[in-house]
Amino acid sequence: MDHPRQPMTPDEIRNLVERVTSAPGYTRAVGTKVESAKAGHVVMSLAKNADLLQANGFFHGGVIAGLADHAGGGAVTTAMPSGRFAVTVNLNVSFLAPAKGQLLIARARAIQVGSTIGVAHVDVASVADGVETPCAVAIVTLRGVDFPAK
């Protein structure tokens, strides 16, 4: 199916990312917040919550990976043709340091978006007392699919 590329307005981009993030499911359940969104770039955050931690009180690696995955998907989706969104086919996360802070922040950028496959780079930092410490870096490969009906 041919999907002509129609540029979205900044408000349309933000609304798209908010719509996916606030839909029932994992991202809403854990409290993912969209900080900013523009074509090919998304920033998301996640506040510390006892249910998201490992035994020593740091953010769980699966939670960090989930945030990176969702942010990467948002970045690629915002660079795709209208009516398409990105679903993950591969997620590679390298953990750099314990996520000891009160907040996680994921900055994702689409580095390649083709007609069916897109790739995003995501930096994840843990924020404590206003200081960001890199805790993970991810490469997310995604496939474009038709957006589900509302």
Side-chain angles (χ1 to χ4, degrees):
M1 176 179 265
D2 187 22
H3 297 276
R5 193 174 292 269
Q6 299 172 1
M8 290 187 283
T9 68
D11 285 343
E12 288 172 329
I13 290 169
R14 176 74 184 225
N15 289 341
L16 171 63
V17 177
E18 289 280 3
R19 175 181 165 199
V20 173
T21 302
S22 66
Y26 173 79
T27 56
R28 183 169 83 180
V30 299
T32 305
K33 181 180 176 189
V34 178
E35 297 292 340
S36 66
K38 61 183 183 179
H41 297 268
V42 168
V43 178
M44 295 185 173
S45 66
L46 186 57
K48 191 172 188 177
N49 163 331
D51 292 331
L52 307 179
L53 309 178
Q54 54 176 259
N56 61 8
F58 305 151
F59 278 96
H60 189 281
V63 171
I64 296 167
L67 182 62
D69 175 45
H70 190 64
V76 169
T77 296
T78 63
M80 295 190 121
S82 179
R84 304 282 282 170
F85 83 110
V87 296
T88 305
V89 296
N90 189 50
L91 172 64
N92 183 335
V93 181
S94 294
F95 296 98
L96 308 173
K100 300 178 183 181
Q102 298 299 309
L103 181 76
L104 290 176
I105 188 140
R107 291 180 177 87
R109 67 180 171 86
I111 56 177
Q112 176 66 40
V113 179
S115 61
T116 57
I117 296 291
V119 179
H121 175 272
V122 186
D123 290 307
V124 183
S126 175
V127 183
D129 299 321
V131 177
E132 291 189 21
T133 301
C135 64
V137 62
I139 299 294
V140 190
T141 305
L142 307 107
R143 175 178 308 282
V145 297
D146 289 333
F147 210 93
K150 291 182 183 181

